[in-house]
Structure formats: structure tokens, C-alpha cells
Amino acid sequence: MISATLVCNGMNVILAIIIDLIACLAVGVSNGVLVGKFKLPPFIGTLGTMTICRGIAQLVNNNYNTGDIGTGGLKDLFRDTFYYGRVGYLYYGVIICLVIWAVFHYIMTYTATGRHIYAIGSNVDAARLSGVDVFKTTTIAYTISAFCSFMAGLITMAAAGMGSMQAGMSYEMYGVAAAVIGGISTLGGSGLLVGVIAGASVWAILQNGLTLANVPVAMRNIIIGIIVVACVLFDIMRRSGMIGKKKAAK
């Protein structure tokens, strides 16, 4: 909405993207401060800032979608780069996602920051006692999340050619579903980004399959909701030792 609003009001596309990036990173840092510094529950902190940002977009645009961002010059280059362009059968949007995944897979697997994020997710108090800078690491994690949201927003705008008030609605649910289906623990501290790719693929196939089968929207929501709850329940049972562990010998 930020990029589309600025472009529709005559701003250069590149400058609009830069301003958008700064705004998104500012939200990420704010989330890091709220959660890492003031100990606000992550769900409440991120839900609050999401609602505030959506409200600002609605206020600025009088609760309407933006107009078409137009064509020509940098606008065409932008839309080709983030959506329509492709190499062979592989669209640039997919390539961007794979590059982002590869970068953060490396960070999470091979860097100290990645290990610290896992440590905080597993046990924040133990991580702090081990010398991990919890506030700094938490802020980095939320800033990375904000950057990924920024990229998703650009891809969405390039696809639609406008800023939509409905863009991103329920994406938080999609993110949770893709993560838990891919084996990411909702309790924190375990999971691989490879699993996220698998989970997102299963999620997309499930969504498309139910749509092609003409399953009513209400039933699709029920089925997907059951799957998410079942995956989270399985994770909790596994982490608590209720399943997957043999009883100790008497």
C-alpha cells in the first residue's frame, strides 16, 4: 500500500520502494523493541502493529484501493522484475523467493545469529545465561521478518498493479499453516527452512486442490483449520514426550 500510494501520486518507483523498505524495517525494529525490550507477548505485539499499519493505509486512502500504478519505463521494469518476467519456465518472483530462502537458510544454519535465534526459541532464559544478547537477536529476527513482508508486498503489488486493501488478509494464518505443516515447532527452537518450503507447497496444493474440487469455502476453511490444529497438537505432544518416546524401563 505504501509503494502503490506513492507511485499513484507521481513518485518515482525506485524512491517509493526505498521509502517502503524504510517503513517496513521501522515496523520490524518496533516489534523487536516491544517483544525484546518490554517483554510484550509476540502475538500481541505483532498483531497490534499489523492492525495499526493497516489502519494507517485505510486512513490515507479513505479505505479504498489505490488506482493502477500505470505502465511504461520503470513501472514496467518493476512489474517484470517482481512478477511477470521469467527465465525459461521459472518466473522472477519464484527466483526471488528461492534466493531469499537460500540466504536465510545459510544465516540460520551456519551463523552465530542463526544459532542464537534457535536458542532463544528453545529457552530464552537459558540463552540469556549463555551470553546471548536476547534483545539484539530478537530485534534482528523481527527486522528480517519485516524485510520478508516488504518483499511479499512488492510481489503482490507487481501482480495486481495496484495497492489493495485486502492484500495480506489472513496471511498470518497462511504463514502459521505453512510452518507447522513443514515441521516448524510452534513452541520454538526447532525446525528447518527446508520444511517451510515443503509446508508452503503442501498448503498451496491443498488450497488449489480443494478449489478445483469445488469444495465450498466454508468447508475449505474447516479442513485447513483442522489440519493446522492437528499439526500443532502433534508438535506439542511430541515436545512433551507424550508420543515418540519409549517409556523408561522400570
Side-chain angles (χ1 to χ4, degrees), residues 174-197:
Y174 299 162
V176 171
V180 298
I181 292 173
I184 306 300
S185 174
T186 56
L187 301 178
S190 67
L192 299 173
L193 288 183
V194 173
V196 176
I197 296 294

Side-chain angles (χ1 to χ4, degrees), residues 158-178:
M162 60 182 290
S164 171
M165 283 295 171
Q166 300 303 313
M169 294 292 287
S170 299
Y171 273 28
E172 62 275 14
M173 178 63 176
Y174 299 162
V176 171

Side-chain angles (χ1 to χ4, degrees), residues 2-77:
I2 292 174
S3 302
T5 300
L6 294 175
V7 172
C8 287
N9 282 277
M11 183 173 287
N12 178 277
V13 174
I14 296 178
L15 182 58
I17 291 174
I18 293 173
I19 293 175
D20 188 9
L21 174 60
I22 294 172
C24 288
L25 294 182
V27 173
V29 172
S30 298
N31 285 333
V33 171
L34 290 173
V35 176
K37 186 72 173 179
F38 295 101
K39 314 303 179 187
L40 197 68
F43 176 78
I44 299 301
T46 54
L47 180 64
T49 53
M50 179 190 73
T51 306
I52 291 170
C53 291
R54 190 173 293 278
I56 292 173
Q58 293 169 335
L59 185 64
V60 170
N61 291 279
N62 296 317
N63 207 28
Y64 289 103
N65 298 334
T66 70
D68 192 289
I69 63 173
T71 58
L74 290 175
K75 296 176 182 178
D76 287 340
L77 178 62

